[in-house]
Amino acid sequence: MAEEHIPYKIYLSENELPEAWYNVRAEMKNKPAPLLNPGTHKPLSFEELRPVFCDELIKQELNDTDAYIPIPEEIRDFYRMYRPSPLVRAYCLEKKLGTPAKIYYKFEGNNTSGSHKLNSAIAQAYYAKKQGLKGVTTETGAGQWGTALSMACSYFGLDCQVYMVKVSYEQKPFRREVMRTYGASVTPSPSETTAVGRKILAEFPGTGGSLGCAISEAVEAATTQQGYRYVLGSVLSQVLLHQTVIGLETMAAMDKYGIKPDVIIGCAGGGSNLGGLISPFMGRKLRGEADYQFIAVEPASCPSFTRGKFVYDFCDTGHVCPLAKMYTLGSEFIPSPHHAGGLRYHGMSSILSQLYDDKLIEARTAEQTAVFKAAQDFARVEGILPAPESSHAIKVALDEALKCKETGEAKTILFGLTGTGYFDMYAYKAYNDGTMSDYIPTDEDLERGFAGIPRFPGNMM
Ligand SMILES: *Cc1c(COP(=O)(O)O)cnc(C)c1O
């Protein structure tokens, strides 16, 4: 289609909402390694996972054979409130940069939770409700996942208990109030309400908490209350599956206008938005139908892909969760307190880890002041105030567009704009005041994290 016919925003109609999620594992030659029981080091069965997770979600977690998994109509009805999300051609940004590249971004910030996390929250709440549960427990770091889950739970009338990393609980009181408005209860973690929380507090009094620690508390809360299960907003394969709605919509919109992306970029925390965006395109690549360059962007302060080890590791500090094979910095790794940009998880999706190990995707790091500079450049021309997490993808999209300016190549660049940054104004303030610093962990810092990786036969490093 002629260039002038491509609108600023490509909206699909409601009828074009995907009818099934796409499960890329079905087409991967090397499947992601199975979750292991941390005690026996044997693959976990459906029965073993049942006390912790919802039945239907376990089936999705273990399913690496069905390429398409139908999206229940009740979930599609909820999606209709804020989806399909727009695919935006960044004409203003291109002009400002003076690049021949064509830049597109898929914007997931158009809902109250302010991020893509709602796509999986509503699916997880739906399956919990369908199973007849009373409620769910979870952890939240920056707060986006807790917000999304509280919205989803209130829609289905489920109780929602959120363990929020203590530093964020204190720094982001408004996030907390959004969750409470949707009926969730929010507890700063570590807390006295769980045995694992009390143990961590006794060992590290005054700690600000971490994601790994909040996960342990939420799992304990789920397994000690009748009618509760634990849900997670990233990392797991089921979450990545739900997020493929992002990539499926993007692919449909691009196909409609005959656009083929050359480079696809996403930020990577636990890997769910990136995995969701790239999965359908990866499917085409795996089938030999098309080729794309995929780039994961992570913070230089939490470099799981670029400096981590590809081994089985604990998913949480309390070691109550299954072991996952992934790129990891060790479950005891905690990024510098000066790191403000999210994406702090020590591990990575096992699907993306396998794809990265197979050299099907690349990874780059970005330092936080450069990330906030990119966020500011973007906000000033495109209007949207991006989340710091999303801005990692913006940074690399800008780098790629500027490379095109040098070489004269008119590449088509696509990136995921996962959310808005209105609750991150302390971080923006630090950037604007010039007090933000870049801390990159030393090899010694990383060794301390690696020391916590479990050692057992077959898990050699
Ligand atoms: C949670 C979050 C991320 C990172 O999580 P992934 O699972 O890696 O996608 C990125 N952007 C925003 C806005 C988030 O809320």
Side-chain angles (χ1 to χ4, degrees):
M1 188 162 293
E3 179 80 352
E4 59 271 22
H5 291 124
I6 296 175
Y8 268 74
K9 285 191 180 151
I10 305 177
Y11 281 104
L12 295 174
S13 75
E14 263 177 45
N15 308 335
E16 292 168 291
L17 253 178
E19 290 178 7
W21 293 299
Y22 172 66
N23 181 13
V24 71
R25 286 171 289 174
E27 304 204 66
M28 287 168 65
K29 226 183 350 182
N30 298 325
K31 308 284 184 205
L35 296 173
L36 297 187
N37 179 316
T40 62
H41 304 145
K42 295 255 158 53
L44 276 162
S45 65
F46 177 74
E47 284 304 325
E48 284 175 293
L49 289 162
R50 288 189 78 190
V52 181
F53 298 109
C54 303
D55 291 354
E56 197 57 36
L57 293 166
I58 302 172
K59 286 184 199 154
Q60 294 181 355
E61 194 64 31
L62 300 177
N63 186 338
D64 58 11
T65 48
D66 295 319
Y68 287 94
I69 295 178
I71 308 176
E73 214 36 56
E74 292 91 333
I75 298 175
R76 294 183 79 229
D77 282 343
F78 187 89
Y79 281 165
R80 273 183 247 275
M81 286 199 265
Y82 67 102
R83 307 200 71 83
S85 70
L87 176 69
V88 185
R89 171 77 184 265
Y91 282 114
C92 303
L93 183 62
E94 290 168 19
K95 199 164 142 203
K96 175 80 194 269
L97 296 172
T99 175
K102 301 178 181 71
I103 307 173
Y104 292 85
Y105 57 89
K106 178 73 166 165
F107 181 47
E108 291 293 319
N110 266 339
N111 68 74
T112 299
S113 79
S115 82
H116 66 289
K117 295 220 169 57
L118 194 55
N119 301 331
S120 183
I122 194 62
Q124 299 195 43
Y126 167 78
Y127 291 117
K129 183 70 185 178
K130 217 176 127 213
Q131 195 176 323
L133 299 175
K134 271 205 274 228
V136 292
T137 70
T138 199
E139 77 294 332
T140 197
Q144 286 97 317
W145 167 245
T147 311
L149 189 68
S150 61
M151 289 174 72
C153 285
S154 72
Y155 182 75
F156 285 122
L158 279 171
D159 184 34
C160 179
Q161 302 176 352
V162 181
Y163 287 85
M164 186 171 188
V165 177
K166 195 188 260 160
V167 278
S168 304
Y169 182 91
E170 283 158 6
Q171 278 172 8
K172 297 188 171 185
F174 295 149
R175 271 269 174 226
R176 189 167 85 210
E177 292 317 314
V178 179
M179 289 186 253
R180 292 178 62 205
T181 300
Y182 283 97
S185 59
V186 188
T187 306
S189 167
S191 75
E192 296 284 349
T193 66
T194 63
V196 64
R198 289 190 291 273
K199 181 165 169 259
I200 292 169
L201 279 175
E203 222 174 306
F204 308 100
T207 174
S210 70
L211 265 181
C213 161
I215 295 175
S216 305
E217 286 208 274
V219 172
E220 182 181 323
T223 51
T224 51
Q225 296 175 89
Q226 194 76 37
Y228 281 76
R229 292 293 185 281
Y230 166 67
V231 296
L232 184 59
S234 182
V235 188
L236 294 178
S237 300
Q238 58 186 270
V239 182
L240 196 145
L241 175 75
H242 305 146
Q243 295 298 354
T244 61
V245 69
I246 303 172
L248 291 162
E249 283 180 11
T250 305
M251 183 176 254
M254 290 194 139
D255 283 355
K256 204 166 180 171
Y257 286 89
I259 306 159
K260 189 210 163 255
D262 298 300
V263 190
I264 307 180
I265 303 164
C267 63
S272 73
N273 87 82
L274 175 67
L277 175 66
I278 71 173
S279 278
F281 294 97
M282 183 60 78
R284 282 188 177 163
K285 180 166 170 142
L286 293 170
R287 294 190 300 272
E289 297 166 5
D291 198 14
Y292 310 94
Q293 183 184 12
F294 300 106
I295 308 174
V297 191
E298 57 186 16
S301 53
C302 191
S304 320
F305 270 136
T306 48
R307 295 174 69 195
K309 305 231 188 254
F310 188 37
V311 289
Y312 270 106
D313 193 16
F314 298 107
C315 293
D316 63 319
T317 317
H319 302 175
V320 294
C321 287
L323 296 174
K325 187 168 178 196
M326 57 186 176
Y327 277 86
T328 179
L329 299 168
S331 61
E332 275 146 49
F333 177 83
I334 295 181
S336 151
H338 302 293
H339 171 68
L343 312 174
R344 312 166 148 265
Y345 189 63
H346 66 273
M348 186 55 66
S349 143
S350 62
I351 298 177
L352 291 187
S353 293
Q354 187 61 51
L355 292 169
Y356 180 68
D357 202 58
D358 289 340
K359 312 238 169 342
L360 290 161
I361 60 179
E362 303 166 23
R364 293 195 197 156
T365 59
E367 293 177 24
Q368 70 172 348
T369 50
V371 166
F372 277 83
K373 169 77 169 63
Q376 192 181 68
D377 289 348
F378 180 84
R380 288 181 183 181
V381 287
E382 287 291 318
I384 296 168
L385 186 102
E389 292 90 341
S390 323
S391 305
H392 289 75
I394 298 176
K395 165 73 175 77
V396 168
L398 294 179
D399 290 348
E400 289 296 307
L402 290 171
K403 248 189 247 166
C404 288
K405 186 175 175 176
E406 271 169 35
T407 62
E409 274 179 293
K411 282 191 186 170
T412 297
I413 298 168
L414 164 67
F415 71 89
L417 187 65
T418 50
T420 47
Y422 306 123
F423 291 101
D424 299 282
M425 297 324 289
Y426 280 116
Y428 272 96
K429 178 178 188 298
Y431 177 72
N432 292 331
D433 288 346
T435 57
M436 180 173 273
S437 61
D438 291 315
Y439 183 80
I440 300 177
T442 62
D443 288 344
E444 279 156 21
D445 293 335
L446 295 187
E447 282 307 324
R448 276 195 292 276
F450 295 146
I453 292 173
R455 277 149 224 266
F456 57 91
N459 203 41
M460 307 313 258
M461 286 188 275

